[in-house]
Amino acid sequence: MSVIYNEQNSTITLNTENTSYQMKIGPYGFLLHTYYGPKISGDASVSIVYRDHGFSPNPHDAGRCRDVSADTIPLEYPCEAAGDFRAPALSITADDGTFMADMRYHSHRILQGKYSLEGLPAVYGTDEEAQTLEVTLKDRFSDIFVTLQYGVFPELDVITRAARIENRTAQKIIVKNAASASLDILSGEWDLIHFSGRHAGERTFERVSLSQREELVGTRRGVSSHHQNSFVIIAERNADERYGQCYGMNLLYSGSFSCNAGADAFGSVRAVMGIQPEHFDYPLEPEEIFQAPEIALAYSENGLGSLSRIYHRLIADHVCRGPWKNRPRPVLINNWEATGPYFDGEMIISIAKKAAELGVDMMVLDDGWFGKRDDDYSGLGDWYVNTKKLGCTMGELADQIRSLGMKFGIWIEPEMVNEDSDLYREHPDWALQIPGRDPVLGRSQLVLDFSREEVVDRILDDICKVLDECKADYVKMDMNRPLVDVYSHGSSTQSRGKLQYKYVLGVYRFMEKLLERYPDLLLEGCSSGGGRFDAGMMYYTPQIWCSDNTDAIDRIRIQYGTSFGYPIRTMGAHVSACPNYDTWRSTPINTRAVVAMEGTFGYELDLNHLSDEEKEEVRQQIITFRKYSSLLHNGLYYRLTDVMKNTKEAAWMMVSEDQSEALLNIVVLDVTGNRPERYIRLDGLDRNASYRDTETGIIYPANVLMTTGITIPRVKMSGHDWVRGASLYEAFQIHLEKVDQK
Ligand code: DGJ
């Protein structure tokens, strides 16, 4: 049993293999959060000190007792109306603005298996893999109910949380805030690690100390955004890759979100995460329910690396679905950086021919194949094939590509419409825009109202006609602007929060229906690169284009940040042309490939433009990728350098689960004359074994590799007796195989 209710001390404990999470029905029915950490038995509420903390108010039902205040006790789902002035998880008002919802314990039940959430992504598992706990809270004075949902995955060391708000009163209420989870940590010094950035610079690792000040990360953009990622870590101040306590919070939602974290006046830390409460104001009519999205929590006392590996496994095996979750992904070539929308059928075939010759598995036709789409000012919404531009039908183009022995995929951007499109001329009211006002443009496009089913259905129908015609093996689903003018012409409410939420559910519905219709389809997510790189999307898209920035050196930092919360097999990564179109930096093609192998691996250039030598390298890269595909796809991932601090080299490795082999990757970021040796310390190997470098034959005791480290190779110059130091941006891949010898 992983969920244990102890009637004597009123505790409910959720146990995983290495952790315990505990709550307790406390004084006056407050649901206390008593503990989350290494496994325990017993009642952790012994750590809570009840005393009059001064200026922290007391519940009326406590009478003359001033020892209990919602403002100072650790709570599972803190709410404003109970007198808690720290960041709330729940905030509800009556229609006239008066506070409601002082939530106290009402009932609970334990179920075998994992709950699911209608219309929303959720971690899944079999009845043997998971248990569910539901704890229902009720407002002291009305029939507002909140059911806290918990999924316990013992083997994964993961606990999921979600919350369902039910209005069983006779009046409309306004949900101003309904977080997915709140976490109170009673003692210690903690940091917030978050992943911020911008278009072409996503998920940069940032770490701030938590003090008596609230840190707020999140987005108001209607998408999970380039600017802040919906994964955060609360880490002990001295925690690093290998040591220290840390908690992860990964939200499975693709819209606006926030995480508020900070210490209170007495040093207790709280982190509250969920849908962005600003402008949320979600009206809930009598009998209506609001379902907050799910959050996946994990705890590790062994540092950030081990926390990341918990999430890698969780997302790869219990969030991603469909046949592709476990299959090695095809090596694809995408024409976007080679041609933009300025192509014709012949150009696409010529790129595909060369790619097929060199061993690429799949040709992806990006933006520009539909409607009037010769630039990005028009055409979105018109999902019929521009046969004039292609010189043939989509079916014929796909046939030609398949005759080269390749698979075929196309790009779509279903949520968008250009004002210059037939769809917009036919249905201007299908775009989100406020009557009497000019809508804000983003890349000259408007957002379709995906909160309306008829809009989703029409776009899906149009796109399916094309997919049926070309029998696409793959679709890249893009989304290239944020939401601004949130007004629905088909809704009785104009609550921004409600419409944005329903919009996100509409996007999920689109993908669900698409995958129901084409169960074998490989769907790749994208939003101007990695603007919607979140665990919610991964329920539908097992890989997501990580960033429009394909410069190998920038990518190292982007992929480093991304790897904290997501497995590398979800990261769309391609080799592109040099100098890079954005940074104008040149890196060796080998380096670009090594970096792209830290992701799904593919190409984003016209291979015809490469030298013969480079073409041969590409052929070899694909062979190498195939050789290591299982290790890259299924291996345990270790970050070996902190690329935010170490500007000399970047290194990471993948180790097979049975520790029989490993692939070490190194990229040199800085060089100097007569360079001192640089050692990279490895991780994750079997300490009792030795490992052989399969290229040089050198045998290393694992403990030497993990303690002293391995030196960055020096390179033998052909035709000379001497070796040179590694050059700037040079990359190395070292394959290690376990040998019997110690
Ligand atoms: C943004 C994507 O990130 C690119 O890869 C490309 O698909 C363009 N959109 C096409 O418009």
Side-chain angles (χ1 to χ4, degrees):
M1 284 287 281
S2 42
V3 182
I4 299 166
Y5 173 54
N6 183 325
E7 213 175 332
Q8 264 147 24
N9 60 21
S10 306
T11 56
I12 308 176
T13 309
L14 316 180
N15 283 323
T16 69
E17 231 158 65
N18 298 296
T19 70
S20 294
Y21 181 111
Q22 194 181 75
M23 63 198 84
K24 179 180 172 99
I25 304 145
Y28 315 110
F30 284 114
L31 188 64
L32 305 174
H33 173 74
T34 58
Y35 181 80
Y36 189 20
K39 213 149 178 180
I40 53 158
S41 56
D43 181 352
S45 70
V46 285
S47 340
I48 302 173
V49 177
Y50 292 102
R51 67 175 175 94
D52 183 350
H53 283 72
F55 227 76
S56 284
N58 317 105
H60 195 272
D61 42 336
R64 296 175 72 118
C65 167
R66 294 184 189 163
D67 289 350
V68 176
S69 168
D71 198 29
T72 56
I73 49 178
L75 291 165
E76 271 302 302
Y77 204 64
C79 43
E80 272 182 316
D84 185 348
F85 292 95
R86 297 168 292 178
L90 183 73
S91 181
I92 292 180
T93 67
D95 208 14
D96 67 2
T98 38
F99 260 163
M100 301 181 83
D102 172 355
M103 308 306 291
R104 310 291 177 94
Y105 172 84
H106 175 267
S107 57
H108 77 268
R109 59 182 190 146
I110 299 168
L111 306 163
Q112 204 50 40
K114 166 69 182 14
Y115 64 84
S116 55
L117 303 176
E118 210 189 315
L120 282 162
V123 176
Y124 61 88
T126 63
D127 283 2
E128 289 67 47
E129 286 168 331
Q131 262 195 326
T132 292
L133 165 72
E134 288 186 351
V135 185
T136 300
L137 311 177
K138 182 186 171 304
D139 180 25
R140 268 189 83 212
F141 300 101
S142 77
D143 283 343
I144 300 173
F145 289 82
V146 172
T147 299
L148 304 180
Q149 299 147 295
Y150 299 82
V152 189
F153 289 81
E155 232 209 289
L156 297 172
D157 276 327
V158 166
I159 289 166
T160 65
R161 287 190 61 175
R164 193 172 63 231
I165 322 297
E166 282 175 64
N167 178 10
R168 291 195 215 145
T169 74
Q171 282 99 40
K172 172 161 101 179
I173 59 172
I174 310 294
V175 181
K176 300 206 155 253
N177 180 16
S180 297
S182 170
L183 196 60
D184 280 354
I185 308 170
L186 270 183
S187 67
E189 305 267 286
W190 298 88
D191 293 345
L192 170 70
I193 297 174
H194 61 103
F195 302 91
S196 60
R198 58 191 187 282
H199 172 242
E202 297 88 339
R203 292 173 297 285
T204 310
F205 179 100
E206 305 268 359
R207 187 169 186 158
V208 291
S209 296
L210 291 177
S211 62
Q212 194 185 341
R213 176 187 66 209
E214 288 174 16
E215 300 288 344
L216 190 64
V217 297
T219 162
R220 307 178 183 89
R221 291 165 188 267
V223 274
S224 43
S225 91
H226 304 83
H227 307 77
Q228 288 289 350
N229 191 258
S230 46
F231 172 63
V232 300
I233 300 172
I234 309 291
E236 248 182 335
R237 192 129 314 152
N238 59 0
D240 61 17
E241 271 303 317
R242 300 176 196 194
Y243 307 101
Q245 303 191 74
C246 40
Y247 299 92
M249 301 177 90
N250 205 339
L251 185 66
L252 283 84
Y253 187 64
S254 311
S256 299
F257 75 93
S258 79
C259 174
N260 181 321
D264 70 8
F266 303 97
S268 163
V269 159
R270 171 172 293 172
V272 182
M273 192 166 184
I275 290 185
Q276 166 69 260
E278 247 179 81
H279 314 296
F280 183 60
D281 289 9
Y282 193 111
L284 215 54
E285 301 292 340
E287 301 308 318
E288 207 180 337
I289 291 177
F290 169 72
Q291 175 64 58
E294 181 167 271
I295 208 157
L297 302 177
Y299 165 86
S300 169
E301 56 180 338
N302 300 313
L304 303 169
S306 105
L307 188 77
S308 292
R309 286 184 289 281
I310 293 176
Y311 281 106
H312 294 172
R313 187 157 167 223
L314 173 79
I315 289 174
D317 295 341
H318 294 268
V319 175
C320 295
R321 297 176 298 166
W324 284 103
K325 78 173 196 176
N326 290 323
R327 273 191 214 158
R329 308 290 159 73
V331 177
L332 69 82
I333 186 153
N334 177 306
N335 69 298
W336 180 249
E337 282 193 31
T339 65
Y342 318 108
F343 57 81
D344 57 27
E346 260 175 45
M347 286 159 85
I348 299 303
I349 293 295
S350 128
I351 294 176
K353 269 192 181 144
K354 187 46 70 190
E357 253 173 64
L358 299 179
V360 174
D361 299 314
M362 182 160 76
M363 175 74 217
V364 175
L365 178 59
D366 211 281
D367 188 357
W369 56 262
F370 50 90
K372 189 180 120 211
R373 185 71 171 172
D374 294 323
D375 52 36
D376 56 16
Y377 294 100
S378 61
L380 286 173
D382 296 341
W383 299 107
Y384 46 84
V385 180
N386 186 340
T387 47
K388 203 162 151 230
K389 184 168 178 176
L390 292 185
C392 59
T393 66
M394 193 63 99
E396 285 162 352
L397 184 76
D399 285 347
Q400 288 184 65
I401 286 174
R402 290 210 174 86
S403 72
L404 300 169
M406 293 175 109
K407 293 180 187 297
F408 178 65
I410 61 169
W411 175 98
I412 59 171
E413 193 178 0
E415 298 151 74
M416 297 293 153
V417 67
N418 284 116
E419 285 168 302
D420 185 3
S421 69
D422 293 344
L423 185 80
Y424 186 75
R425 283 182 280 273
E426 194 188 329
H427 293 292
D429 61 312
W430 280 12
L432 292 173
Q433 52 182 333
I434 300 168
R437 291 181 174 273
D438 283 341
V440 174
L441 297 172
R443 206 193 188 195
S444 303
Q445 60 201 48
L446 302 181
V447 184
L448 282 172
D449 184 356
F450 262 39
S451 72
R452 291 169 72 177
E453 288 201 357
E454 71 270 35
V455 178
V456 172
D457 290 344
R458 160 70 188 273
I459 299 296
L460 187 68
D461 266 9
D462 289 355
I463 288 175
C464 286
K465 283 185 194 123
V466 182
L467 299 181
D468 286 342
E469 191 196 337
C470 68
K471 302 189 181 48
D473 301 291
Y474 161 106
V475 165
K476 173 177 172 188
M477 180 167 145
D478 206 347
M479 197 278 191
N480 286 305
R481 61 154 293 175
L483 273 54
V484 181
D485 302 282
V486 182
Y487 182 101
S488 171
H489 294 260
S491 168
S492 54
T493 174
Q494 297 308 332
S495 147
R496 197 154 131 191
K498 194 165 194 167
L499 287 175
Q500 288 203 7
Y501 175 79
K502 292 207 176 291
Y503 175 90
V504 176
L505 264 62
V507 175
Y508 291 150
R509 185 169 159 270
F510 175 90
M511 293 186 287
E512 192 67 49
K513 292 196 127 212
L514 187 70
L515 292 167
E516 263 168 32
R517 186 156 168 170
Y518 308 102
D520 232 14
L521 186 77
L522 173 56
L523 187 59
E524 174 155 356
C526 176
S527 173
S528 289
R532 198 159 58 180
F533 199 106
D534 62 68
M537 285 301 288
M538 285 168 198
Y539 193 62
Y540 311 90
T541 63
Q543 60 191 57
I544 300 179
W545 184 226
C546 203
S547 176
D548 273 347
N549 189 338
T550 52
D551 172 276
I553 305 306
D554 276 9
R555 264 299 181 112
I556 288 174
R557 291 196 186 94
I558 294 169
Q559 292 172 191
Y560 170 84
T562 308
S563 77
F564 281 83
Y566 307 94
I568 64 164
R569 67 164 92 163
T570 60
M571 298 184 205
H574 298 166
V575 174
S576 65
C578 270
N580 182 271
Y581 79 94
D582 193 0
T583 62
W584 219 244
R585 177 171 18 214
S586 287
T587 50
I589 196 161
N590 176 52
T591 304
R592 283 173 266 157
V594 169
V595 174
M597 283 187 211
E598 196 194 15
T600 55
F601 192 63
Y603 292 85
E604 184 99 13
L605 73 175
D606 187 343
L607 294 166
N608 292 299
H609 297 159
L610 298 186
S611 67
D612 288 349
E613 205 179 306
E614 285 174 322
K615 281 182 205 141
E616 190 44 40
E617 271 203 65
V618 168
R619 193 193 304 281
Q620 292 308 324
Q621 289 168 358
I622 295 170
I623 293 171
T624 305
F625 176 71
R626 295 230 170 84
K627 184 159 104 194
Y628 298 137
S629 74
S630 161
L631 191 51
L632 293 165
H633 196 83
N634 306 315
L636 299 177
Y637 177 82
Y638 293 84
R639 291 176 293 267
L640 303 178
T641 56
D642 175 348
V643 303
M644 305 310 294
K645 290 195 189 130
N646 178 350
T647 51
K648 292 194 163 62
E649 61 269 317
W652 61 95
M653 69 188 285
M654 296 86 177
V655 183
S656 63
E657 214 151 342
D658 64 1
Q659 296 175 308
S660 63
E661 58 169 339
L663 187 68
L664 166 66
N665 304 271
I666 304 169
V667 179
V668 175
L669 301 176
D670 194 12
V671 287
T672 174
N674 194 11
R675 184 184 160 124
E677 298 316 320
R678 301 282 305 171
Y679 291 85
I680 307 287
R681 279 192 191 165
L682 273 49
D683 207 344
L685 300 174
D686 175 356
R687 284 193 175 274
N688 298 314
S690 288
Y691 286 82
R692 185 169 59 89
D693 178 331
T694 55
E695 201 183 315
T696 63
I698 299 174
I699 293 179
Y700 301 89
N703 270 335
V704 171
L705 290 172
M706 293 167 80
T707 309
T708 312
I710 193 168
T711 51
I712 296 182
R714 290 185 180 266
V715 182
K716 171 103 179 58
M717 301 289 288
S718 61
H720 296 275
D721 298 342
W722 51 282
V723 289
R724 61 166 175 83
S727 60
L728 187 63
Y729 303 143
E730 190 163 8
F732 301 93
Q733 263 181 338
I734 298 174
H735 181 237
L736 298 164
E737 223 170 43
K738 190 164 157 178
V739 288
D740 288 340
Q741 179 187 337
K742 280 212 176 158

